[in-house]
Amino acid sequence: MNLEPIGVLRSSAVFLGALPRQPQAGEGVVELVPGRHLDHAVHDLPGFSRIWLIWWFHRSKGEWRPKVLPPRSRCGRKGVLATRSPHRPNPLGISAVPLLRVEGLRLWIGAHDLVDGTPILDIKPYLPRYDSFPNEREGWLAQVEAGSWQVELGPVVQGLELAERVRAILAEDPLPHRARRIHAMPDGRLRLGIGFWRFFYRIEGARVLVESALFKGLKVD
Ligand SMILES: C[S@@+](CC[C@H](N)C(=O)[O-])C[C@H]1O[C@@H](n2cnc3c(N)ncnc32)[C@H](O)[C@@H]1O
């Protein structure tokens, strides 16, 4: 089998931790490679409002494991093929993303979950009549209930670009979880890690109070 990228995703999302786990935020551009007549290959695509991107998890490091601990799992490891983990036998990602416009070799897309530089292997139109099955069973994910946590960001954290990402992660579940990079600290606070950032918070009943942040070990004021 020979696979060659047909393009690359360009966006402002340069670090993995800031991305949603499924297409939910931001905009980006798929830049198709020149010299392969791909500008002709995308003719008729603008008639579709959503497309599938099939892509390579090029930033996944190390060996894949048969069982992984997904961020949303509340009861241990899951077979990797029953997850959307980036660490899989063949690190292929699929994302159904809004297609905003096409200009020559550039495809502008809406909410996505790909980091800048991701190789794009294929593009197909999303066909709601064949690709959408909202009533199917969701396996272990069905056990994951949306928490009723009320996240309150302190003034320092509110001003940060990552604020809404912090809110989304903690609203889902602020309790310690290794794969979600949430640790209980000896002083009773909890710490969330996202890239080089560390966020410190307390839980009071259903309230999650995010008080301070460090970036590369330095306090953010
Ligand atoms: C859980 S995966 C799901 C991807 C895709 N929607 C799927 O279901 O196959 C999404 C996460 O993959 C990570 N990611 C995005 N682009 C990546 C890349 N090029 N290499 C490795 N990880 C990536 C980001 O952390 C993002 O939040």
Side-chain angles (χ1 to χ4, degrees), residues 195-214:
F196 293 117
W197 288 88
R198 302 290 178 270
F199 297 92
F200 299 89
Y201 59 97
R202 287 179 295 118
I203 296 179
E204 285 180 4
R207 294 168 72 211
V208 180
L209 310 167
V210 189
E211 290 155 342
S212 58
L214 296 179

PDB file of all heavy atoms in Angstrom, residues 195-214:
ATOM      1  N   GLY A 195      -0.539  21.147  27.952  1.00  0.00           N
ATOM      2  CA  GLY A 195       0.750  21.591  27.393  1.00  0.00           C
ATOM      3  C   GLY A 195       1.665  22.039  28.528  1.00  0.00           C
ATOM      4  O   GLY A 195       1.829  21.347  29.530  1.00  0.00           O
ATOM      5  N   PHE A 196       2.242  23.246  28.398  1.00  0.00           N
ATOM      6  CA  PHE A 196       3.133  23.774  29.439  1.00  0.00           C
ATOM      7  C   PHE A 196       2.362  24.495  30.535  1.00  0.00           C
ATOM      8  O   PHE A 196       2.942  25.071  31.442  1.00  0.00           O
ATOM      9  CB  PHE A 196       4.146  24.745  28.832  1.00  0.00           C
ATOM     10  CG  PHE A 196       5.140  24.084  27.911  1.00  0.00           C
ATOM     11  CD1 PHE A 196       5.188  24.421  26.561  1.00  0.00           C
ATOM     12  CD2 PHE A 196       6.024  23.130  28.392  1.00  0.00           C
ATOM     13  CE1 PHE A 196       6.093  23.816  25.718  1.00  0.00           C
ATOM     14  CE2 PHE A 196       6.934  22.521  27.551  1.00  0.00           C
ATOM     15  CZ  PHE A 196       6.977  22.860  26.204  1.00  0.00           C
ATOM     16  N   TRP A 197       1.048  24.510  30.421  1.00  0.00           N
ATOM     17  CA  TRP A 197       0.242  25.230  31.405  1.00  0.00           C
ATOM     18  C   TRP A 197      -0.152  24.322  32.557  1.00  0.00           C
ATOM     19  O   TRP A 197      -0.364  23.123  32.370  1.00  0.00           O
ATOM     20  CB  TRP A 197      -1.046  25.740  30.749  1.00  0.00           C
ATOM     21  CG  TRP A 197      -0.838  26.878  29.812  1.00  0.00           C
ATOM     22  CD1 TRP A 197      -0.550  26.786  28.483  1.00  0.00           C
ATOM     23  CD2 TRP A 197      -0.884  28.262  30.126  1.00  0.00           C
ATOM     24  NE1 TRP A 197      -0.421  28.040  27.941  1.00  0.00           N
ATOM     25  CE2 TRP A 197      -0.620  28.965  28.927  1.00  0.00           C
ATOM     26  CE3 TRP A 197      -1.121  28.983  31.295  1.00  0.00           C
ATOM     27  CZ2 TRP A 197      -0.586  30.354  28.877  1.00  0.00           C
ATOM     28  CZ3 TRP A 197      -1.089  30.357  31.240  1.00  0.00           C
ATOM     29  CH2 TRP A 197      -0.820  31.041  30.040  1.00  0.00           C
ATOM     30  N   ARG A 198      -0.276  24.911  33.751  1.00  0.00           N
ATOM     31  CA  ARG A 198      -0.838  24.216  34.910  1.00  0.00           C
ATOM     32  C   ARG A 198      -1.893  25.134  35.514  1.00  0.00           C
ATOM     33  O   ARG A 198      -1.631  26.314  35.750  1.00  0.00           O
ATOM     34  CB  ARG A 198       0.238  23.942  35.982  1.00  0.00           C
ATOM     35  CG  ARG A 198       1.422  23.107  35.495  1.00  0.00           C
ATOM     36  CD  ARG A 198       1.028  21.653  35.221  1.00  0.00           C
ATOM     37  NE  ARG A 198       2.171  20.907  34.710  1.00  0.00           N
ATOM     38  CZ  ARG A 198       2.483  20.777  33.421  1.00  0.00           C
ATOM     39  NH1 ARG A 198       1.723  21.323  32.497  1.00  0.00           N
ATOM     40  NH2 ARG A 198       3.547  20.089  33.051  1.00  0.00           N
ATOM     41  N   PHE A 199      -3.071  24.565  35.739  1.00  0.00           N
ATOM     42  CA  PHE A 199      -4.163  25.340  36.334  1.00  0.00           C
ATOM     43  C   PHE A 199      -4.487  24.733  37.691  1.00  0.00           C
ATOM     44  O   PHE A 199      -4.572  23.508  37.819  1.00  0.00           O
ATOM     45  CB  PHE A 199      -5.388  25.319  35.413  1.00  0.00           C
ATOM     46  CG  PHE A 199      -5.118  25.975  34.092  1.00  0.00           C
ATOM     47  CD1 PHE A 199      -4.676  25.235  33.005  1.00  0.00           C
ATOM     48  CD2 PHE A 199      -5.268  27.345  33.936  1.00  0.00           C
ATOM     49  CE1 PHE A 199      -4.393  25.843  31.790  1.00  0.00           C
ATOM     50  CE2 PHE A 199      -4.997  27.969  32.724  1.00  0.00           C
ATOM     51  CZ  PHE A 199      -4.555  27.216  31.644  1.00  0.00           C
ATOM     52  N   PHE A 200      -4.682  25.578  38.688  1.00  0.00           N
ATOM     53  CA  PHE A 200      -4.916  25.108  40.060  1.00  0.00           C
ATOM     54  C   PHE A 200      -6.334  25.473  40.474  1.00  0.00           C
ATOM     55  O   PHE A 200      -6.782  26.602  40.233  1.00  0.00           O
ATOM     56  CB  PHE A 200      -3.894  25.731  41.002  1.00  0.00           C
ATOM     57  CG  PHE A 200      -2.486  25.337  40.629  1.00  0.00           C
ATOM     58  CD1 PHE A 200      -1.753  26.102  39.727  1.00  0.00           C
ATOM     59  CD2 PHE A 200      -1.916  24.169  41.136  1.00  0.00           C
ATOM     60  CE1 PHE A 200      -0.474  25.720  39.349  1.00  0.00           C
ATOM     61  CE2 PHE A 200      -0.638  23.787  40.764  1.00  0.00           C
ATOM     62  CZ  PHE A 200       0.085  24.562  39.863  1.00  0.00           C
ATOM     63  N   TYR A 201      -7.012  24.502  41.090  1.00  0.00           N
ATOM     64  CA  TYR A 201      -8.405  24.767  41.455  1.00  0.00           C
ATOM     65  C   TYR A 201      -8.802  23.991  42.689  1.00  0.00           C
ATOM     66  O   TYR A 201      -8.099  23.074  43.143  1.00  0.00           O
ATOM     67  CB  TYR A 201      -9.328  24.456  40.283  1.00  0.00           C
ATOM     68  CG  TYR A 201      -9.277  23.035  39.770  1.00  0.00           C
ATOM     69  CD1 TYR A 201     -10.212  22.086  40.195  1.00  0.00           C
ATOM     70  CD2 TYR A 201      -8.319  22.638  38.851  1.00  0.00           C
ATOM     71  CE1 TYR A 201     -10.192  20.791  39.709  1.00  0.00           C
ATOM     72  CE2 TYR A 201      -8.275  21.343  38.363  1.00  0.00           C
ATOM     73  CZ  TYR A 201      -9.209  20.422  38.792  1.00  0.00           C
ATOM     74  OH  TYR A 201      -9.164  19.143  38.318  1.00  0.00           O
ATOM     75  N   ARG A 202      -9.949  24.410  43.232  1.00  0.00           N
ATOM     76  CA  ARG A 202     -10.549  23.724  44.378  1.00  0.00           C
ATOM     77  C   ARG A 202     -11.955  23.306  43.989  1.00  0.00           C
ATOM     78  O   ARG A 202     -12.565  23.917  43.109  1.00  0.00           O
ATOM     79  CB  ARG A 202     -10.646  24.674  45.580  1.00  0.00           C
ATOM     80  CG  ARG A 202      -9.340  24.975  46.238  1.00  0.00           C
ATOM     81  CD  ARG A 202      -9.499  25.939  47.402  1.00  0.00           C
ATOM     82  NE  ARG A 202      -9.947  27.259  46.984  1.00  0.00           N
ATOM     83  CZ  ARG A 202     -11.075  27.821  47.360  1.00  0.00           C
ATOM     84  NH1 ARG A 202     -11.919  27.180  48.159  1.00  0.00           N
ATOM     85  NH2 ARG A 202     -11.424  29.037  46.953  1.00  0.00           N
ATOM     86  N   ILE A 203     -12.451  22.270  44.664  1.00  0.00           N
ATOM     87  CA  ILE A 203     -13.837  21.860  44.433  1.00  0.00           C
ATOM     88  C   ILE A 203     -14.623  22.119  45.712  1.00  0.00           C
ATOM     89  O   ILE A 203     -14.209  21.693  46.790  1.00  0.00           O
ATOM     90  CB  ILE A 203     -13.912  20.355  44.067  1.00  0.00           C
ATOM     91  CG1 ILE A 203     -13.176  20.110  42.743  1.00  0.00           C
ATOM     92  CG2 ILE A 203     -15.353  19.901  43.944  1.00  0.00           C
ATOM     93  CD1 ILE A 203     -13.159  18.665  42.301  1.00  0.00           C
ATOM     94  N   GLU A 204     -15.703  22.873  45.571  1.00  0.00           N
ATOM     95  CA  GLU A 204     -16.586  23.122  46.731  1.00  0.00           C
ATOM     96  C   GLU A 204     -17.983  22.693  46.323  1.00  0.00           C
ATOM     97  O   GLU A 204     -18.627  23.380  45.523  1.00  0.00           O
ATOM     98  CB  GLU A 204     -16.583  24.605  47.087  1.00  0.00           C
ATOM     99  CG  GLU A 204     -15.316  25.030  47.787  1.00  0.00           C
ATOM    100  CD  GLU A 204     -15.320  26.519  48.131  1.00  0.00           C
ATOM    101  OE1 GLU A 204     -16.343  27.199  47.896  1.00  0.00           O
ATOM    102  OE2 GLU A 204     -14.283  26.986  48.617  1.00  0.00           O
ATOM    103  N   GLY A 205     -18.418  21.573  46.796  1.00  0.00           N
ATOM    104  CA  GLY A 205     -19.709  21.023  46.350  1.00  0.00           C
ATOM    105  C   GLY A 205     -19.643  20.756  44.872  1.00  0.00           C
ATOM    106  O   GLY A 205     -18.756  20.052  44.394  1.00  0.00           O
ATOM    107  N   ALA A 206     -20.575  21.395  44.120  1.00  0.00           N
ATOM    108  CA  ALA A 206     -20.573  21.218  42.657  1.00  0.00           C
ATOM    109  C   ALA A 206     -19.788  22.337  41.973  1.00  0.00           C
ATOM    110  O   ALA A 206     -19.722  22.400  40.756  1.00  0.00           O
ATOM    111  CB  ALA A 206     -22.002  21.194  42.139  1.00  0.00           C
ATOM    112  N   ARG A 207     -19.180  23.236  42.784  1.00  0.00           N
ATOM    113  CA  ARG A 207     -18.441  24.361  42.181  1.00  0.00           C
ATOM    114  C   ARG A 207     -16.967  24.005  42.011  1.00  0.00           C
ATOM    115  O   ARG A 207     -16.357  23.414  42.903  1.00  0.00           O
ATOM    116  CB  ARG A 207     -18.563  25.599  43.056  1.00  0.00           C
ATOM    117  CG  ARG A 207     -19.997  26.131  43.115  1.00  0.00           C
ATOM    118  CD  ARG A 207     -20.124  27.166  44.204  1.00  0.00           C
ATOM    119  NE  ARG A 207     -19.458  28.424  43.874  1.00  0.00           N
ATOM    120  CZ  ARG A 207     -18.902  29.230  44.781  1.00  0.00           C
ATOM    121  NH1 ARG A 207     -18.915  28.900  46.063  1.00  0.00           N
ATOM    122  NH2 ARG A 207     -18.337  30.349  44.411  1.00  0.00           N
ATOM    123  N   VAL A 208     -16.440  24.398  40.882  1.00  0.00           N
ATOM    124  CA  VAL A 208     -15.016  24.179  40.602  1.00  0.00           C
ATOM    125  C   VAL A 208     -14.392  25.565  40.462  1.00  0.00           C
ATOM    126  O   VAL A 208     -14.716  26.302  39.524  1.00  0.00           O
ATOM    127  CB  VAL A 208     -14.835  23.377  39.294  1.00  0.00           C
ATOM    128  CG1 VAL A 208     -13.365  23.145  39.004  1.00  0.00           C
ATOM    129  CG2 VAL A 208     -15.592  22.053  39.369  1.00  0.00           C
ATOM    130  N   LEU A 209     -13.529  25.917  41.417  1.00  0.00           N
ATOM    131  CA  LEU A 209     -12.998  27.285  41.444  1.00  0.00           C
ATOM    132  C   LEU A 209     -11.556  27.292  40.947  1.00  0.00           C
ATOM    133  O   LEU A 209     -10.646  26.809  41.631  1.00  0.00           O
ATOM    134  CB  LEU A 209     -13.073  27.825  42.876  1.00  0.00           C
ATOM    135  CG  LEU A 209     -14.463  27.650  43.519  1.00  0.00           C
ATOM    136  CD1 LEU A 209     -14.414  27.898  45.022  1.00  0.00           C
ATOM    137  CD2 LEU A 209     -15.465  28.585  42.849  1.00  0.00           C
ATOM    138  N   VAL A 210     -11.371  27.817  39.741  1.00  0.00           N
ATOM    139  CA  VAL A 210     -10.030  27.824  39.138  1.00  0.00           C
ATOM    140  C   VAL A 210      -9.367  29.139  39.526  1.00  0.00           C
ATOM    141  O   VAL A 210      -9.810  30.221  39.123  1.00  0.00           O
ATOM    142  CB  VAL A 210     -10.104  27.677  37.603  1.00  0.00           C
ATOM    143  CG1 VAL A 210      -8.706  27.465  37.040  1.00  0.00           C
ATOM    144  CG2 VAL A 210     -11.026  26.526  37.222  1.00  0.00           C
ATOM    145  N   GLU A 211      -8.292  29.028  40.316  1.00  0.00           N
ATOM    146  CA  GLU A 211      -7.772  30.234  40.960  1.00  0.00           C
ATOM    147  C   GLU A 211      -6.506  30.781  40.317  1.00  0.00           C
ATOM    148  O   GLU A 211      -6.298  31.982  40.252  1.00  0.00           O
ATOM    149  CB  GLU A 211      -7.493  29.922  42.435  1.00  0.00           C
ATOM    150  CG  GLU A 211      -8.777  29.722  43.210  1.00  0.00           C
ATOM    151  CD  GLU A 211      -8.593  28.851  44.436  1.00  0.00           C
ATOM    152  OE1 GLU A 211      -7.572  28.120  44.516  1.00  0.00           O
ATOM    153  OE2 GLU A 211      -9.480  28.889  45.299  1.00  0.00           O
ATOM    154  N   SER A 212      -5.629  29.886  39.874  1.00  0.00           N
ATOM    155  CA  SER A 212      -4.341  30.399  39.396  1.00  0.00           C
ATOM    156  C   SER A 212      -3.767  29.501  38.315  1.00  0.00           C
ATOM    157  O   SER A 212      -4.246  28.385  38.097  1.00  0.00           O
ATOM    158  CB  SER A 212      -3.360  30.507  40.564  1.00  0.00           C
ATOM    159  OG  SER A 212      -3.219  29.235  41.159  1.00  0.00           O
ATOM    160  N   ALA A 213      -2.734  30.023  37.652  1.00  0.00           N
ATOM    161  CA  ALA A 213      -2.127  29.280  36.551  1.00  0.00           C
ATOM    162  C   ALA A 213      -0.622  29.507  36.545  1.00  0.00           C
ATOM    163  O   ALA A 213      -0.136  30.568  36.946  1.00  0.00           O
ATOM    164  CB  ALA A 213      -2.729  29.742  35.239  1.00  0.00           C
ATOM    165  N   LEU A 214       0.089  28.484  36.087  1.00  0.00           N
ATOM    166  CA  LEU A 214       1.527  28.610  35.841  1.00  0.00           C
ATOM    167  C   LEU A 214       1.768  28.319  34.371  1.00  0.00           C
ATOM    168  O   LEU A 214       1.104  27.457  33.790  1.00  0.00           O
ATOM    169  CB  LEU A 214       2.331  27.572  36.638  1.00  0.00           C
ATOM    170  CG  LEU A 214       2.333  27.602  38.157  1.00  0.00           C
ATOM    171  CD1 LEU A 214       3.200  26.449  38.678  1.00  0.00           C
ATOM    172  CD2 LEU A 214       2.890  28.932  38.657  1.00  0.00           C
TER     173      LEU A 214
END
